[in-house]
Amino acid sequence: MNELRVGLIGCGAIGKDHALRIQNKLQRARIVAVTDVVRESAEKVAQLCDCTVRDTATEIIADPEIDAVVVTAWDPAHKELVLECIEHQKFVFCEKPLATEAKGAEEIIRTEMQGGNRLVQVGFMRRYDKGYRQMKEIIDGGGIGAPLLVHCAHRNVASGKGVTEDFMITQTCIHEIDLTKWLVDDDYDSVRCLVGRTSKEAPDGLRDPQMALIRTKSGICIDVEIFLNARFGYDIQCQVVGERGTVNLPDPSYPPIRTEAMKGTQLCTDWSIRFIEAYDVELQEWIDNTIQGITAGPNSWDGYIAALTADLLIKSRDEGGAEIKLNTPERPVFYQN
Ligand SMILES: NC(=O)C1=CN([C@@H]2O[C@H](COP(=O)(O)OP(=O)(O)OC[C@H]3O[C@@H](n4cnc5c(N)ncnc54)[C@H](O)[C@@H]3O)[C@@H](O)[C@H]2O)C=CC1
Ligand SMILES: O=C1[C@H](O)[C@H](O)[C@@H](O)[C@H](O)[C@H]1O
């Protein structure tokens, strides 16, 4: 196969972004069909990509003329769409999260292992970000000594429509949940989730910010601020503190401005620009691996561990911030390397 024929399910914000990047920027793949439960959304993306609209996800997944599927539907739809791809033995790139609860991810793992082929990549694109990769290179090289602490902040300008307190963990914090264990190369041992004073900027009923606290098996302590109504910008921070120093995630570089006795730089306002290169690298690697018939990125097991960690963070939060142990099973050989 020289070119991957891709079907895309879910033509909203990131679905449109991914469709256009596959069609116009990336190599060795093209979007051949899209679908959305809101047909108008699919028609808009189909026009931009000069591809067809299918009435249902099944028409895309079952089409023998489509080699692989991209799932960019909203979170609760991921599990069933991924299961259907596995049942049709179709390679699938599923945007995070793999599932909104661990039990859904477990069903995906069982089905994928029963099918005998690893087919699923999960859209944890922070692992493909240049800044995080530079941090990991320094940490792995012993540049700051053994990691002791990790401080993260995941700040958005405003919470999207319908965002719930659980979504803050399963949809937003899920990035740091996947990323930090990859960054320090350690599994998680226990979690806590705290909620304190809520911002007046948060919509009624949404306690925002929340604070996730995670301890790894070697004792590294991780704190993640999740603040969806920060207002000042889309601000992603990460600092790893080691025995002999610290390393920070570099801010995106913008030209410094001096004006009216002030100096500073602009800030990003959303994810699509902040991580635009990471999405490109992530999806180009997915395309090239899928053409070779392999998966090499974050897989269903990574999606499961993230979902399990999120489940227990929510449980801790709802039980007043109690510390809860994660008794995660060993990664099956099927999901190693
Ligand atoms: N990796 C990242 O940084 C980001 C990941 N995402 C993830 O991507 C997914 C989509 O997010 P957004 O584009 O922001 O949402 P969105 O709400 O803009 O788009 C979702 C689209 O999926 C459609 N849809 C929902 N259920 C469907 C189904 N069963 N079949 C077909 N279409 C369906 C909706 O009609 C909507 O058009 C979410 O899972 C989100 O977590 C979103 C933003 C950034
Ligand atoms: O994946 C994402 C983005 O990275 C944003 O930071 C989150 O706030 C958003 O909810 C989520 O879908």
XYZ file of all heavy atoms in Angstrom, residues 75-170:
748
model
N -16.355 12.340 23.141
C -15.808 11.289 23.998
C -16.715 10.076 24.176
O -16.279 8.934 24.006
C -15.480 11.857 25.381
C -14.427 12.937 25.329
O -14.130 13.445 24.250
O -13.899 13.278 26.404
N -18.010 10.269 24.535
C -18.832 9.087 24.844
C -19.031 8.138 23.666
O -19.423 6.995 23.842
C -20.177 9.682 25.296
C -19.855 11.066 25.746
C -18.756 11.524 24.841
N -18.731 8.610 22.453
C -18.935 7.745 21.271
C -17.708 6.907 20.957
O -17.765 5.978 20.143
C -19.300 8.612 20.062
N -16.587 7.208 21.592
C -15.332 6.543 21.185
C -15.377 5.033 21.338
O -14.979 4.294 20.432
C -14.169 7.107 22.002
C -13.824 8.514 21.668
N -12.706 9.154 22.156
C -14.465 9.443 20.902
C -12.675 10.398 21.686
N -13.730 10.595 20.942
N -15.832 4.554 22.500
C -15.737 3.119 22.784
C -16.417 2.295 21.692
O -15.813 1.389 21.098
C -16.355 2.793 24.143
C -16.209 1.322 24.533
C -17.107 0.934 25.690
C -18.517 0.587 25.226
N -19.328 -0.063 26.303
N -17.672 2.586 21.412
C -18.427 1.777 20.432
C -17.808 1.878 19.038
O -17.753 0.898 18.300
C -19.884 2.218 20.397
C -20.666 1.891 21.676
C -20.606 0.404 22.047
O -20.513 -0.444 21.132
O -20.600 0.114 23.260
N -17.320 3.059 18.687
C -16.727 3.215 17.347
C -15.428 2.424 17.240
O -15.171 1.761 16.227
C -16.483 4.705 17.058
C -17.756 5.542 16.876
C -17.402 7.040 16.882
C -18.492 5.172 15.593
N -14.640 2.439 18.298
C -13.380 1.675 18.282
C -13.674 0.178 18.255
O -13.059 -0.583 17.498
C -12.497 2.041 19.494
C -11.319 1.082 19.639
C -11.987 3.474 19.356
N -14.653 -0.262 19.050
C -15.030 -1.689 19.046
C -15.467 -2.114 17.658
O -15.095 -3.195 17.171
C -16.141 -1.951 20.064
C -15.711 -1.958 21.533
C -16.945 -2.017 22.444
C -14.763 -3.115 21.833
N -16.223 -1.266 16.968
C -16.692 -1.618 15.616
C -15.519 -1.702 14.641
O -15.463 -2.592 13.786
C -17.730 -0.595 15.140
C -18.476 -1.032 13.892
C -19.643 -0.110 13.543
O -19.999 0.787 14.349
O -20.189 -0.295 12.427
N -14.540 -0.806 14.818
C -13.342 -0.879 13.959
C -12.608 -2.189 14.199
O -12.169 -2.863 13.258
C -12.416 0.297 14.252
S -13.003 1.891 13.628
N -12.476 -2.578 15.455
C -11.775 -3.835 15.774
C -12.528 -5.025 15.189
O -11.920 -5.931 14.608
C -11.602 -3.984 17.294
C -10.701 -2.868 17.843
C -11.025 -5.357 17.639
C -10.654 -2.802 19.358
N -13.859 -4.991 15.319
C -14.653 -6.094 14.772
C -14.458 -6.216 13.260
O -14.485 -7.301 12.701
C -16.145 -5.887 15.116
C -16.460 -6.271 16.580
C -17.623 -5.479 17.144
O -18.449 -4.981 16.356
O -17.675 -5.325 18.387
N -14.201 -5.093 12.595
C -13.931 -5.126 11.151
C -12.436 -5.207 10.859
O -12.008 -5.070 9.702
C -14.520 -3.876 10.466
C -16.008 -3.927 10.295
N -16.880 -3.567 11.302
C -16.786 -4.317 9.253
C -18.125 -3.715 10.878
N -18.100 -4.174 9.651
N -11.627 -5.412 11.941
C -10.173 -5.481 11.811
C -9.585 -4.289 11.038
O -8.704 -4.449 10.163
C -9.761 -6.809 11.164
C -9.874 -7.990 12.144
C -8.870 -7.911 13.314
O -7.665 -8.126 13.143
N -9.360 -7.556 14.516
N -10.089 -3.117 11.372
C -9.644 -1.862 10.745
C -8.687 -1.143 11.701
O -8.981 -1.002 12.889
C -10.821 -0.911 10.477
C -11.558 -1.130 9.156
C -10.875 -0.442 7.989
C -11.513 -0.602 6.624
N -12.849 -0.893 6.413
N -7.549 -0.637 11.184
C -6.706 0.237 11.982
C -7.488 1.503 12.323
O -8.238 2.020 11.479
C -5.434 0.600 11.221
C -4.398 -0.479 11.216
C -4.317 -1.371 10.149
C -3.521 -0.636 12.277
C -3.372 -2.391 10.144
C -2.567 -1.651 12.280
C -2.494 -2.529 11.212
N -7.319 1.966 13.576
C -8.090 3.134 13.999
C -7.243 4.051 14.881
O -6.556 3.610 15.792
C -9.381 2.722 14.744
C -9.117 1.741 15.873
C -10.156 3.927 15.245
N -7.291 5.344 14.519
C -6.703 6.384 15.369
C -7.851 7.001 16.133
O -8.739 7.607 15.523
C -5.995 7.452 14.515
C -5.478 8.620 15.312
C -4.184 8.616 15.805
C -6.277 9.719 15.576
C -3.706 9.694 16.547
C -5.813 10.803 16.322
C -4.527 10.775 16.811
N -7.887 6.813 17.435
C -8.986 7.343 18.239
C -8.482 8.513 19.079
O -7.544 8.359 19.869
C -9.528 6.262 19.167
S -10.876 6.851 20.209
N -9.081 9.687 18.893
C -8.706 10.822 19.722
C -8.918 10.457 21.193
O -9.709 9.572 21.539
C -9.518 12.078 19.405
C -8.786 13.033 18.471
C -7.444 13.492 19.050
O -7.195 13.368 20.274
O -6.603 13.935 18.258
N -8.097 11.102 22.067
C -8.268 10.815 23.488
C -9.627 11.353 23.920
O -10.158 12.266 23.331
C -7.154 11.459 24.338
C -6.656 12.834 24.000
C -7.656 13.945 23.962
C -8.346 14.203 25.248
N -9.379 15.294 25.153
N -10.234 10.734 24.914
C -9.825 9.518 25.597
C -10.281 8.287 24.837
O -11.234 8.359 24.053
C -10.556 9.633 26.937
C -11.838 10.327 26.586
C -11.485 11.291 25.486
N -9.648 7.156 25.091
C -10.092 5.912 24.435
C -11.521 5.597 24.853
O -12.339 5.160 24.041
C -9.158 4.764 24.834
C -9.505 3.385 24.279
C -9.391 3.352 22.762
C -8.589 2.328 24.900
N -11.790 5.815 26.135
C -13.138 5.592 26.678
C -13.294 6.488 27.902
O -12.314 6.924 28.499
C -13.326 4.128 27.082
N -14.504 6.794 28.256
C -14.722 7.741 29.365
C -14.632 7.037 30.724
O -14.652 7.698 31.753
C -16.112 8.401 29.239
O -17.100 7.352 29.147
C -16.187 9.279 28.004
N -14.577 5.692 30.718
C -14.396 4.939 31.962
C -13.511 3.733 31.679
O -13.476 3.227 30.544
C -15.754 4.442 32.499
C -16.698 5.543 32.941
C -18.026 4.975 33.411
O -18.449 3.907 32.891
O -18.638 5.591 34.287
N -12.872 3.220 32.729
C -11.963 2.083 32.558
C -12.677 0.849 32.015
O -12.120 0.119 31.186
C -11.279 1.759 33.880
N -13.925 0.644 32.434
C -14.594 -0.593 31.989
C -14.798 -0.601 30.469
O -14.730 -1.646 29.815
C -15.914 -0.842 32.728
C -17.038 0.121 32.483
C -18.285 -0.381 33.214
C -19.516 0.469 32.953
N -19.419 1.825 33.554
N -14.978 0.563 29.893
C -15.092 0.621 28.433
C -13.762 0.303 27.773
O -13.696 -0.425 26.774
N -12.686 0.805 28.342
C -11.350 0.528 27.801
C -10.998 -0.951 27.964
O -10.363 -1.555 27.081
C -10.322 1.403 28.504
N -11.449 -1.540 29.070
C -11.207 -2.987 29.273
C -11.883 -3.810 28.179
O -11.303 -4.784 27.664
C -11.742 -3.422 30.652
C -10.860 -2.995 31.827
C -11.537 -3.265 33.162
O -12.761 -3.497 33.196
O -10.816 -3.226 34.188
N -13.086 -3.400 27.799
C -13.815 -4.129 26.739
C -13.044 -4.022 25.418
O -12.929 -4.987 24.667
C -15.226 -3.558 26.598
C -16.121 -4.363 25.658
C -17.545 -3.820 25.584
O -17.892 -2.919 26.398
O -18.286 -4.279 24.702
N -12.475 -2.859 25.171
C -11.679 -2.672 23.949
C -10.439 -3.570 23.992
O -10.123 -4.257 23.011
C -11.285 -1.190 23.798
C -12.505 -0.345 23.416
C -10.167 -1.024 22.761
C -12.286 1.159 23.472
N -9.771 -3.617 25.116
C -8.571 -4.464 25.249
C -8.922 -5.931 25.006
O -8.263 -6.631 24.235
C -7.949 -4.272 26.648
C -7.246 -2.920 26.737
C -6.966 -5.392 26.972
C -6.851 -2.554 28.152
N -9.995 -6.386 25.652
C -10.403 -7.800 25.468
C -10.674 -8.092 23.995
O -10.192 -9.072 23.432
C -11.659 -8.102 26.291
C -11.443 -8.386 27.751
C -12.666 -9.060 28.383
N -13.887 -8.260 28.190
C -14.240 -7.248 28.996
N -13.446 -6.909 29.996
N -15.366 -6.579 28.786
N -11.417 -7.201 23.360
C -11.819 -7.435 21.959
C -10.599 -7.393 21.040
O -10.451 -8.218 20.140
C -12.853 -6.369 21.533
O -13.918 -6.344 22.476
C -13.399 -6.661 20.142
N -9.715 -6.434 21.290
C -8.529 -6.293 20.428
C -7.609 -7.495 20.576
O -7.112 -8.032 19.575
C -7.782 -4.999 20.784
C -6.714 -4.579 19.787
C -6.107 -3.217 20.119
O -6.182 -2.783 21.291
O -5.572 -2.592 19.195
N -7.421 -7.968 21.812
C -6.558 -9.130 22.034
C -7.179 -10.391 21.447
O -6.491 -11.208 20.837
C -6.260 -9.298 23.529
C -5.390 -8.180 24.107
S -5.045 -8.362 25.872
C -3.734 -9.589 25.828
N -8.508 -10.517 21.566
C -9.184 -11.684 20.974
C -9.033 -11.685 19.444
O -8.903 -12.738 18.828
C -10.681 -11.690 21.335
C -10.974 -12.128 22.767
C -12.373 -11.727 23.206
O -13.159 -11.146 22.433
N -12.680 -11.993 24.478
N -9.007 -10.483 18.856
C -8.859 -10.396 17.395
C -7.455 -10.717 16.942
O -7.217 -11.014 15.769
N -6.488 -10.640 17.883
C -5.120 -11.057 17.558
C -4.255 -10.009 16.899
O -3.051 -10.225 16.715
N -4.828 -8.856 16.548
C -4.021 -7.798 15.910
C -4.151 -6.494 16.689
O -5.267 -6.090 17.042
C -4.499 -7.549 14.474
C -4.288 -8.769 13.590
O -3.179 -9.294 13.509
N -5.371 -9.228 12.944
N -3.048 -5.842 16.941
C -3.078 -4.536 17.598
C -3.414 -3.493 16.543
O -2.699 -3.324 15.562
C -1.714 -4.246 18.242
C -1.808 -3.690 19.637
C -0.471 -3.690 20.302
N 0.428 -2.734 19.674
C 1.702 -2.615 20.046
N 2.202 -3.420 20.977
N 2.471 -1.720 19.493
N -4.537 -2.791 16.715
C -5.080 -1.929 15.657
C -5.272 -0.480 16.105
O -5.491 0.395 15.272
C -6.445 -2.473 15.214
C -6.455 -3.889 14.639
C -7.900 -4.414 14.574
C -5.822 -3.914 13.246
N -5.233 -0.229 17.407
C -5.684 1.048 17.951
C -4.510 1.934 18.361
O -3.584 1.478 19.040
C -6.599 0.820 19.181
C -7.116 2.154 19.731
C -7.781 -0.090 18.814
N -4.540 3.201 17.926
C -3.666 4.233 18.492
C -4.557 5.288 19.123
O -5.568 5.687 18.556
C -2.746 4.871 17.444
C -1.888 5.998 18.027
C -0.724 6.409 17.150
O -0.176 5.616 16.369
N -0.311 7.645 17.292
N -4.158 5.757 20.312
C -4.930 6.781 21.025
C -4.241 8.130 20.863
O -3.015 8.220 20.891
C -5.063 6.417 22.521
C -5.969 7.408 23.246
C -5.619 5.005 22.672
N -5.022 9.199 20.713
C -4.484 10.514 20.362
C -3.836 11.294 21.480
O -4.119 12.473 21.693
N -2.934 10.618 22.226
C -2.167 11.326 23.266
C -1.002 12.042 22.597
O 0.144 11.612 22.628
C -1.674 10.335 24.321
C -2.760 9.795 25.208
C -2.939 8.436 25.369
C -3.617 10.657 25.893
C -3.929 7.925 26.194
C -4.618 10.159 26.720
C -4.780 8.794 26.874
N -1.268 13.159 22.001
C -0.293 13.804 21.129
C 0.766 14.583 21.897
O 1.800 14.944 21.322
C -0.997 14.713 20.114
C -1.287 16.100 20.534
S -2.414 16.211 21.945
C -2.074 17.829 22.458
N 0.623 14.778 23.211
C 1.677 15.502 23.942
C 3.017 14.745 23.834
O 4.079 15.362 23.878
C 1.305 15.652 25.413
C 0.013 16.441 25.685
C 0.254 17.925 25.793
N -0.954 18.654 26.182
C -1.264 18.966 27.445
N -0.464 18.603 28.424
N -2.381 19.620 27.729
N 2.961 13.416 23.691
C 4.201 12.629 23.567
C 4.971 12.989 22.285
O 6.147 12.648 22.164
C 3.886 11.131 23.499
C 3.169 10.542 24.708
C 3.028 9.068 24.515
N 2.252 8.387 25.549
C 2.386 7.079 25.816
N 3.256 6.345 25.119
N 1.659 6.493 26.755
N 4.277 13.623 21.350
C 4.912 13.958 20.074
C 5.341 15.430 20.019
O 5.889 15.883 19.025
C 3.946 13.667 18.913
C 3.601 12.205 18.795
C 2.564 11.652 19.527
C 4.345 11.363 17.969
C 2.264 10.303 19.442
C 4.054 10.012 17.867
C 3.012 9.493 18.617
O 2.713 8.146 18.538
N 5.065 16.161 21.099
C 5.419 17.579 21.163
C 6.925 17.716 21.359
O 7.523 17.053 22.221
C 4.661 18.235 22.325
C 5.072 19.686 22.502
O 4.720 20.515 21.641
O 5.793 19.968 23.485
N 7.520 18.611 20.594
C 8.986 18.782 20.637
C 9.461 19.138 22.039
O 10.458 18.610 22.537
C 9.397 19.867 19.640
C 10.889 20.084 19.531
C 11.200 21.177 18.515
C 12.692 21.514 18.492
N 12.950 22.682 17.593
N 8.730 20.027 22.705
C 9.148 20.474 24.038
C 9.157 19.347 25.042
O 10.112 19.165 25.811
N 8.069 18.533 25.032
C 8.020 17.406 25.982
C 9.111 16.378 25.643
O 9.705 15.768 26.532
C 6.648 16.735 25.930
C 5.556 17.457 26.696
C 4.467 18.012 26.039
C 5.603 17.568 28.089
C 3.462 18.658 26.741
C 4.598 18.215 28.799
C 3.527 18.742 28.114
O 2.510 19.384 28.798
N 9.377 16.201 24.330
C 10.409 15.216 23.945
C 11.795 15.700 24.383
O 12.637 14.921 24.821
C 10.356 14.960 22.433
C 9.157 14.089 22.033
C 9.159 13.679 20.574
N 8.230 12.555 20.360
C 8.051 11.932 19.188
N 8.718 12.318 18.122
N 7.201 10.932 19.091
N 11.997 17.029 24.314
C 13.280 17.586 24.797
C 13.418 17.381 26.306
O 14.485 17.024 26.806
C 13.351 19.073 24.453
C 13.534 19.347 22.957
C 13.379 20.823 22.627
O 12.580 21.547 23.264
N 14.110 21.296 21.632
N 12.305 17.573 27.014
C 12.327 17.347 28.470
C 12.689 15.898 28.771
O 13.551 15.599 29.609
C 10.954 17.654 29.087
C 10.559 19.095 29.125
S 8.930 19.304 29.890
C 9.329 19.087 31.630
N 12.038 14.967 28.022
C 12.267 13.533 28.294
C 13.719 13.150 28.004
O 14.336 12.386 28.754
C 11.303 12.670 27.486
C 11.428 11.185 27.797
C 10.263 10.377 27.301
C 10.461 8.880 27.586
N 10.608 8.582 29.029
N 14.279 13.747 26.974
C 15.689 13.458 26.627
C 16.621 13.903 27.764
O 17.550 13.190 28.152
C 16.055 14.183 25.317
C 17.381 13.753 24.727
C 17.653 14.429 23.370
O 16.696 14.971 22.750
O 18.816 14.424 22.940
N 16.337 15.057 28.333
C 17.166 15.575 29.438
C 17.012 14.682 30.674
O 17.996 14.301 31.316
C 16.770 17.034 29.758
C 17.218 17.953 28.615
C 17.355 17.494 31.096
C 16.577 19.329 28.643
N 15.770 14.307 30.980
C 15.514 13.473 32.167
C 16.153 12.101 31.996
O 16.883 11.609 32.863
C 13.999 13.350 32.416
C 13.397 14.710 32.763
C 13.710 12.328 33.516
C 11.888 14.768 32.625
N 15.899 11.490 30.813
C 16.455 10.143 30.566
C 17.987 10.164 30.578
O 18.629 9.174 30.927
C 15.964 9.602 29.214
C 14.479 9.252 29.231
O 13.886 9.280 30.329
O 13.923 8.977 28.156
N 18.569 11.325 30.207
C 20.036 11.440 30.172
C 20.632 11.783 31.529
O 21.841 12.006 31.650
N 19.789 11.879 32.553
C 20.289 12.180 33.909
C 20.605 13.646 34.122
O 21.265 14.015 35.105
N 20.117 14.504 33.219
C 20.475 15.924 33.270
C 20.041 16.659 34.526
O 20.627 17.694 34.866
N 19.017 16.159 35.211
C 18.593 16.849 36.448
C 18.644 15.900 37.643
O 18.102 16.181 38.709
C 17.152 17.431 36.316
C 16.140 16.321 36.007
C 17.107 18.521 35.262
C 14.681 16.807 36.168
N 19.265 14.742 37.431
C 19.265 13.741 38.499
C 17.932 13.014 38.531
O 17.053 13.240 37.691
N 17.745 12.173 39.500
C 16.500 11.389 39.574
C 15.303 12.329 39.780
O 15.337 13.201 40.654
C 16.577 10.397 40.733
N 14.225 12.148 38.989
C 13.044 12.991 39.166
C 12.407 12.767 40.534
O 12.327 11.629 41.001
C 12.091 12.563 38.053
C 12.869 11.685 37.144
C 14.054 11.172 37.903
N 11.972 13.859 41.186
C 11.353 13.785 42.511
C 9.902 14.273 42.472
O 9.016 13.687 43.101
C 12.145 14.645 43.508
C 13.637 14.310 43.657
C 14.332 15.396 44.506
C 13.816 12.931 44.274
N 9.700 15.397 41.732
C 8.377 16.036 41.699
C 8.054 16.446 40.262
O 8.957 16.728 39.477
C 8.369 17.304 42.564
C 8.775 17.172 44.026
C 8.992 18.577 44.623
C 7.727 16.401 44.811
N 6.764 16.492 39.936
C 6.327 17.048 38.656
C 5.162 18.002 38.932
O 4.198 17.648 39.615
C 5.859 15.959 37.666
C 5.539 16.571 36.303
C 6.926 14.879 37.505
N 5.308 19.238 38.429
C 4.255 20.239 38.602
C 3.654 20.536 37.220
O 4.377 20.883 36.288
C 4.816 21.540 39.175
C 5.586 21.372 40.450
N 5.049 20.819 41.583
C 6.885 21.661 40.758
C 5.955 20.796 42.546
N 7.070 21.306 42.066
N 2.334 20.386 37.093
C 1.667 20.632 35.805
C 0.509 21.606 36.006
O -0.120 21.624 37.054
C 1.092 19.343 35.209
S 2.280 18.031 34.951
N 0.233 22.341 34.917
C -0.987 23.155 34.870
C -1.581 23.017 33.476
O -0.847 23.107 32.491
C -0.691 24.617 35.180
N -2.887 22.754 33.455
C -3.611 22.639 32.190
C -4.713 23.684 32.252
O -5.751 23.463 32.877
C -4.169 21.220 32.039
C -4.760 20.941 30.696
N -4.795 19.674 30.146
C -5.333 21.743 29.780
C -5.368 19.722 28.955
N -5.715 20.946 28.720
N -4.460 24.840 31.654
C -5.367 25.981 31.777
C -5.994 26.292 30.414
O -5.279 26.395 29.411
C -4.600 27.208 32.278
C -3.985 26.981 33.662
C -3.054 28.095 34.050
N -2.499 27.872 35.400
C -1.216 28.093 35.711
N -0.379 28.543 34.779
N -0.774 27.882 36.937
N -7.303 26.426 30.393
C -8.033 26.830 29.197
C -8.595 28.225 29.422
O -8.758 28.663 30.575
C -9.185 25.851 28.930
C -8.732 24.549 28.289
O -9.462 23.968 27.532
N -7.562 24.086 28.629
N -8.968 28.889 28.337
C -9.588 30.220 28.460
C -10.978 30.079 29.078
O -11.346 30.814 30.008
C -9.686 30.891 27.072
C -10.512 32.168 27.146
C -8.294 31.168 26.526
N -11.724 29.076 28.559
C -13.097 28.907 29.067
C -13.529 27.459 28.851
O -13.084 26.809 27.890
C -14.063 29.837 28.334
N -14.378 26.951 29.722
C -14.856 25.568 29.567
C -15.874 25.538 28.423
O -16.701 26.431 28.283
C -15.510 25.094 30.864
O -16.426 26.072 31.347
N -15.772 24.472 27.608
C -16.693 24.352 26.465
C -18.106 24.041 26.951
O -18.322 23.751 28.125
N -19.036 24.046 25.997
C -20.432 23.785 26.371
C -20.576 22.329 26.838
O -19.933 21.432 26.307
C -21.381 24.077 25.195
C -21.180 23.204 23.971
C -22.152 23.623 22.843
C -22.079 22.695 21.644
N -20.712 22.616 21.052
N -21.348 22.159 27.876
C -21.638 20.810 28.362
C -20.513 20.164 29.136
O -20.595 18.985 29.488
N -19.434 20.920 29.414
C -18.317 20.322 30.153
C -18.753 20.087 31.600
O -19.317 20.961 32.237
C -17.078 21.241 30.110
C -16.025 20.803 31.131
C -16.470 21.207 28.711
N -18.470 18.870 32.086
C -18.821 18.533 33.472
C -17.548 18.398 34.309
O -16.441 18.368 33.758
C -19.548 17.177 33.514
O -18.594 16.167 33.091
C -20.754 17.165 32.573
N -17.722 18.279 35.630
C -16.556 18.108 36.496
C -15.822 16.802 36.163
O -14.597 16.731 36.284
C -17.010 18.102 37.962
C -17.479 19.472 38.415
C -17.819 19.510 39.893
O -17.649 18.476 40.587
O -18.253 20.561 40.370
N -16.571 15.785 35.728
C -15.891 14.529 35.357
C -15.110 14.702 34.055
O -13.989 14.198 33.913
C -16.913 13.382 35.215
C -17.471 12.957 36.564
O -17.057 13.549 37.600
O -18.318 12.045 36.592
N -15.672 15.468 33.102
C -14.954 15.734 31.840
C -13.618 16.436 32.131
O -12.649 16.253 31.407
C -15.807 16.629 30.928
C -16.634 15.890 29.924
C -17.043 14.588 30.156
C -17.024 16.499 28.740
C -17.819 13.900 29.234
C -17.807 15.824 27.796
C -18.193 14.515 28.059
N -13.588 17.249 33.184
C -12.326 17.966 33.501
C -11.207 16.958 33.734
O -10.045 17.233 33.468
C -12.525 18.841 34.739
C -13.399 20.050 34.489
S -13.710 21.026 35.971
C -12.090 21.703 36.310
N -11.582 15.767 34.223
C -10.584 14.719 34.463
C -10.446 13.825 33.223
O -9.341 13.632 32.701
C -10.985 13.852 35.679
C -11.205 14.725 36.917
C -9.942 12.776 35.936
C -9.993 15.438 37.436
N -11.578 13.322 32.703
C -11.492 12.316 31.640
C -11.157 12.915 30.280
O -10.663 12.225 29.396
C -12.849 11.574 31.490
O -13.858 12.539 31.110
C -13.235 10.902 32.784
